[in-house]
Amino acid sequence: MTVRDLSYGRGERRLTIGAGRPEALVWNLRDSHPWYGLSVRTAQRRRRLAGGFAPHDPPTESVARGRTGSS
């Protein structure tokens, strides 16, 4: 799985997840005040995630939880 920052220049991260094993990838949003624009890509799918958090929410969002199939 590849997670790429589409908006804030943080590059990309690669993550290997075993079948049936949950995994979390934490993306720090502190410098983006707290907006995000990400692409999550597997061999079968590509998803785009974009949004933000209210000031009282935590400054990070987990974008990968081991599910690469359809939602």
Side-chain angles (χ1 to χ4, degrees):
M1 164 183 299
T2 302
V3 180
R4 178 179 293 177
D5 183 344
L6 300 174
S7 302
Y8 297 97
R10 291 191 190 108
E12 70 180 31
R13 296 185 196 174
R14 295 179 188 266
L15 180 66
T16 302
I17 301 173
R21 299 189 68 174
E23 186 68 42
L25 179 62
V26 177
W27 208 272
N28 188 332
L29 302 177
R30 189 174 316 275
D31 294 336
S32 61
H33 305 290
W35 298 98
Y36 60 92
L38 304 171
S39 167
V40 178
R41 188 173 20 152
T42 69
Q44 297 84 21
R45 301 220 187 282
R46 180 178 173 186
R47 301 267 195 235
R48 292 180 137 199
L49 305 165
F53 291 93
H56 61 277
D57 287 340
T60 58
E61 168 71 348
S62 177
V63 298
R65 294 219 179 258
R67 295 183 183 178
T68 59
S70 59
S71 18

